[in-house]
Amino acid sequence: MAINSRDLKFKLFSLAKKLAGMPKDAEYAIIVYEDGYVSPIISQGLFSGAIIPFRHVDHGFAVAVLHTHPVPRTAPSIADLNLLFNMSRHNTPAYLGTIYRSGSEVVLTLYIANRSVSPMEASLVLNESRVYEFLNVRGGFRESLSDKQIYEQHRLLQRLNISVERYRFKL
């Protein structure tokens, strides 16, 4: 049985709070699949990111992925965007959430693909994102750069019917 969007969004906020409390020593992720199954917390090294099992034999395709960014980054990486685009080809809406914590303040940014994103459209966005990947890696991750990326990418993502929602909360 598929999970409805309203229930899923409520579940994502609860899961985001859980992930936000994780140590900042690695990237942590949780996946929600088509039938509502929630994966155990996945973690990987600080800079290698987390490998996301996009399809689960028993539970279908991923409909939502939440993960932490241990560095000051609230914008999506190229890998994040690529995952969202791939999820959108199997289910819409598809949710990708990045979670960044500074002290007790948490920023949850949700990217919601409301329609399937074609490979050609995805390629355009990913090419635009390469500039920010370079700037982040070369200059060190800065929240101001991440905010600039979100602002500029938001317009492009809106044309693809991807909404960006940002929430701030305290742990």
Short mmCIF file of all heavy atoms in Angstrom, two decimals, residues 62-90:
data_model
loop_
_atom_site.label_atom_id
_atom_site.label_comp_id
_atom_site.label_asym_id
_atom_site.label_seq_id
_atom_site.Cartn_x
_atom_site.Cartn_y
_atom_site.Cartn_z
N ALA A 62 12.48 4.11 -3.92
CA ALA A 62 12.52 5.19 -2.94
C ALA A 62 11.60 6.31 -3.38
O ALA A 62 11.57 6.68 -4.55
CB ALA A 62 13.95 5.71 -2.80
N VAL A 63 10.83 6.85 -2.42
CA VAL A 63 10.00 8.03 -2.69
C VAL A 63 10.53 9.25 -1.95
O VAL A 63 10.19 10.38 -2.28
CB VAL A 63 8.51 7.81 -2.32
CG1 VAL A 63 7.89 6.76 -3.23
CG2 VAL A 63 8.33 7.46 -0.86
N ALA A 64 11.39 9.00 -0.95
CA ALA A 64 11.97 10.10 -0.18
C ALA A 64 13.31 9.66 0.39
O ALA A 64 13.46 8.52 0.83
CB ALA A 64 11.04 10.52 0.95
N VAL A 65 14.24 10.60 0.37
CA VAL A 65 15.54 10.39 1.00
C VAL A 65 15.86 11.64 1.80
O VAL A 65 15.78 12.75 1.29
CB VAL A 65 16.65 10.13 -0.04
CG1 VAL A 65 18.02 10.07 0.64
CG2 VAL A 65 16.38 8.86 -0.83
N LEU A 66 16.19 11.44 3.05
CA LEU A 66 16.67 12.52 3.91
C LEU A 66 18.10 12.19 4.28
O LEU A 66 18.41 11.04 4.57
CB LEU A 66 15.86 12.61 5.21
CG LEU A 66 14.42 13.04 5.14
CD1 LEU A 66 13.80 12.97 6.54
CD2 LEU A 66 14.30 14.44 4.59
N HIS A 67 18.96 13.20 4.27
CA HIS A 67 20.33 12.95 4.70
C HIS A 67 20.96 14.21 5.27
O HIS A 67 20.54 15.32 4.97
CB HIS A 67 21.17 12.37 3.56
CG HIS A 67 21.51 13.35 2.50
ND1 HIS A 67 20.59 13.82 1.61
CD2 HIS A 67 22.67 13.96 2.20
CE1 HIS A 67 21.17 14.69 0.79
NE2 HIS A 67 22.44 14.79 1.13
N THR A 68 21.96 13.97 6.09
CA THR A 68 22.66 15.08 6.72
C THR A 68 23.80 15.55 5.84
O THR A 68 24.36 14.78 5.06
CB THR A 68 23.24 14.66 8.09
OG1 THR A 68 24.17 13.59 7.90
CG2 THR A 68 22.15 14.24 9.05
N HIS A 69 24.10 16.81 5.96
CA HIS A 69 25.32 17.39 5.41
C HIS A 69 26.14 17.84 6.62
O HIS A 69 25.77 18.81 7.27
CB HIS A 69 25.00 18.59 4.51
CG HIS A 69 24.60 18.23 3.14
ND1 HIS A 69 24.14 19.16 2.23
CD2 HIS A 69 24.57 17.05 2.48
CE1 HIS A 69 23.85 18.57 1.09
NE2 HIS A 69 24.11 17.29 1.22
N PRO A 70 27.21 17.13 6.93
CA PRO A 70 27.99 17.51 8.12
C PRO A 70 28.76 18.82 7.94
O PRO A 70 29.12 19.46 8.91
CB PRO A 70 28.94 16.33 8.32
CG PRO A 70 28.81 15.46 7.13
CD PRO A 70 27.65 15.89 6.34
N VAL A 71 29.00 19.22 6.69
CA VAL A 71 29.68 20.49 6.41
C VAL A 71 28.62 21.58 6.22
O VAL A 71 27.46 21.27 5.97
CB VAL A 71 30.59 20.37 5.17
CG1 VAL A 71 31.71 19.39 5.42
CG2 VAL A 71 29.78 19.97 3.94
N PRO A 72 28.98 22.86 6.33
CA PRO A 72 27.99 23.93 6.20
C PRO A 72 27.41 24.02 4.78
O PRO A 72 27.84 24.81 3.96
CB PRO A 72 28.76 25.21 6.54
CG PRO A 72 30.01 24.77 7.19
CD PRO A 72 30.29 23.39 6.71
N ARG A 73 26.47 23.15 4.51
CA ARG A 73 25.86 23.12 3.18
C ARG A 73 24.40 22.75 3.30
O ARG A 73 24.06 21.68 3.77
CB ARG A 73 26.59 22.09 2.32
CG ARG A 73 26.05 22.01 0.93
CD ARG A 73 26.81 21.00 0.12
NE ARG A 73 26.52 21.20 -1.28
CZ ARG A 73 27.23 20.72 -2.25
NH1 ARG A 73 28.31 20.01 -1.98
NH2 ARG A 73 26.89 20.92 -3.49
N THR A 74 23.53 23.66 2.87
CA THR A 74 22.10 23.37 2.85
C THR A 74 21.61 23.13 1.44
O THR A 74 20.48 22.73 1.23
CB THR A 74 21.30 24.53 3.50
OG1 THR A 74 21.60 25.73 2.79
CG2 THR A 74 21.65 24.67 4.96
N ALA A 75 22.46 23.38 0.44
CA ALA A 75 22.11 23.16 -0.96
C ALA A 75 22.42 21.72 -1.34
O ALA A 75 23.25 21.06 -0.71
CB ALA A 75 22.91 24.13 -1.84
N PRO A 76 21.78 21.24 -2.40
CA PRO A 76 22.02 19.86 -2.81
C PRO A 76 23.32 19.71 -3.60
O PRO A 76 23.71 20.60 -4.34
CB PRO A 76 20.82 19.56 -3.71
CG PRO A 76 20.49 20.89 -4.32
CD PRO A 76 20.77 21.90 -3.24
N SER A 77 23.96 18.58 -3.43
CA SER A 77 25.12 18.25 -4.25
C SER A 77 24.63 17.71 -5.59
O SER A 77 23.43 17.46 -5.77
CB SER A 77 25.97 17.19 -3.55
OG SER A 77 25.27 15.96 -3.50
N ILE A 78 25.55 17.50 -6.50
CA ILE A 78 25.18 16.91 -7.79
C ILE A 78 24.60 15.52 -7.57
O ILE A 78 23.59 15.15 -8.19
CB ILE A 78 26.40 16.87 -8.73
CG1 ILE A 78 26.71 18.31 -9.21
CG2 ILE A 78 26.16 15.96 -9.93
CD1 ILE A 78 27.94 18.44 -10.06
N ALA A 79 25.18 14.75 -6.67
CA ALA A 79 24.66 13.42 -6.37
C ALA A 79 23.24 13.50 -5.81
O ALA A 79 22.38 12.68 -6.14
CB ALA A 79 25.58 12.70 -5.40
N ASP A 80 22.97 14.50 -4.96
CA ASP A 80 21.63 14.69 -4.40
C ASP A 80 20.61 14.95 -5.50
O ASP A 80 19.53 14.34 -5.54
CB ASP A 80 21.60 15.88 -3.43
CG ASP A 80 22.45 15.68 -2.19
OD1 ASP A 80 22.79 14.53 -1.87
OD2 ASP A 80 22.78 16.70 -1.55
N LEU A 81 20.94 15.89 -6.38
CA LEU A 81 20.02 16.23 -7.47
C LEU A 81 19.80 15.05 -8.40
O LEU A 81 18.66 14.77 -8.81
CB LEU A 81 20.55 17.43 -8.26
CG LEU A 81 20.50 18.77 -7.54
CD1 LEU A 81 21.28 19.82 -8.32
CD2 LEU A 81 19.07 19.22 -7.32
N ASN A 82 20.85 14.34 -8.70
CA ASN A 82 20.73 13.18 -9.57
C ASN A 82 19.80 12.13 -8.96
O ASN A 82 18.97 11.54 -9.65
CB ASN A 82 22.11 12.60 -9.85
CG ASN A 82 22.15 11.80 -11.11
OD1 ASN A 82 21.43 12.09 -12.06
ND2 ASN A 82 22.98 10.78 -11.13
N LEU A 83 19.92 11.92 -7.65
CA LEU A 83 19.04 10.99 -6.96
C LEU A 83 17.58 11.44 -7.04
O LEU A 83 16.69 10.65 -7.34
CB LEU A 83 19.47 10.84 -5.50
CG LEU A 83 18.59 9.96 -4.62
CD1 LEU A 83 18.58 8.52 -5.13
CD2 LEU A 83 19.07 10.01 -3.19
N LEU A 84 17.33 12.73 -6.82
CA LEU A 84 15.97 13.26 -6.90
C LEU A 84 15.40 13.03 -8.30
O LEU A 84 14.26 12.60 -8.45
CB LEU A 84 15.95 14.75 -6.56
CG LEU A 84 14.59 15.44 -6.66
CD1 LEU A 84 13.61 14.86 -5.65
CD2 LEU A 84 14.75 16.93 -6.47
N PHE A 85 16.19 13.33 -9.33
CA PHE A 85 15.71 13.16 -10.70
C PHE A 85 15.40 11.69 -10.99
O PHE A 85 14.39 11.38 -11.62
CB PHE A 85 16.74 13.69 -11.70
CG PHE A 85 17.04 15.16 -11.54
CD1 PHE A 85 18.28 15.67 -11.87
CD2 PHE A 85 16.10 16.04 -11.02
CE1 PHE A 85 18.57 17.02 -11.73
CE2 PHE A 85 16.38 17.39 -10.85
CZ PHE A 85 17.62 17.87 -11.22
N ASN A 86 16.26 10.79 -10.52
CA ASN A 86 16.00 9.36 -10.72
C ASN A 86 14.76 8.91 -9.98
O ASN A 86 13.95 8.14 -10.52
CB ASN A 86 17.22 8.53 -10.29
CG ASN A 86 18.34 8.62 -11.29
OD1 ASN A 86 18.12 8.78 -12.48
ND2 ASN A 86 19.56 8.52 -10.80
N MET A 87 14.58 9.38 -8.75
CA MET A 87 13.37 9.02 -7.99
C MET A 87 12.12 9.51 -8.72
O MET A 87 11.11 8.83 -8.76
CB MET A 87 13.41 9.59 -6.57
CG MET A 87 14.34 8.87 -5.64
SD MET A 87 14.14 9.33 -3.88
CE MET A 87 14.31 11.08 -3.88
N SER A 88 12.20 10.71 -9.33
CA SER A 88 11.03 11.30 -9.99
C SER A 88 10.58 10.48 -11.20
O SER A 88 9.44 10.57 -11.61
CB SER A 88 11.31 12.75 -10.41
OG SER A 88 12.06 12.80 -11.62
N ARG A 89 11.46 9.69 -11.77
CA ARG A 89 11.10 8.88 -12.93
C ARG A 89 10.27 7.66 -12.54
O ARG A 89 9.69 7.01 -13.39
CB ARG A 89 12.35 8.46 -13.69
CG ARG A 89 12.96 9.65 -14.40
CD ARG A 89 14.10 9.27 -15.32
NE ARG A 89 14.91 10.47 -15.51
CZ ARG A 89 16.13 10.64 -15.08
NH1 ARG A 89 16.75 9.67 -14.44
NH2 ARG A 89 16.77 11.76 -15.28
N HIS A 90 10.22 7.37 -11.22
CA HIS A 90 9.47 6.21 -10.75
C HIS A 90 8.25 6.59 -9.91
O HIS A 90 7.27 5.86 -9.91
CB HIS A 90 10.38 5.28 -9.93
CG HIS A 90 11.50 4.74 -10.74
ND1 HIS A 90 11.35 3.68 -11.59
CD2 HIS A 90 12.79 5.13 -10.86
CE1 HIS A 90 12.50 3.43 -12.19
NE2 HIS A 90 13.39 4.30 -11.76
#
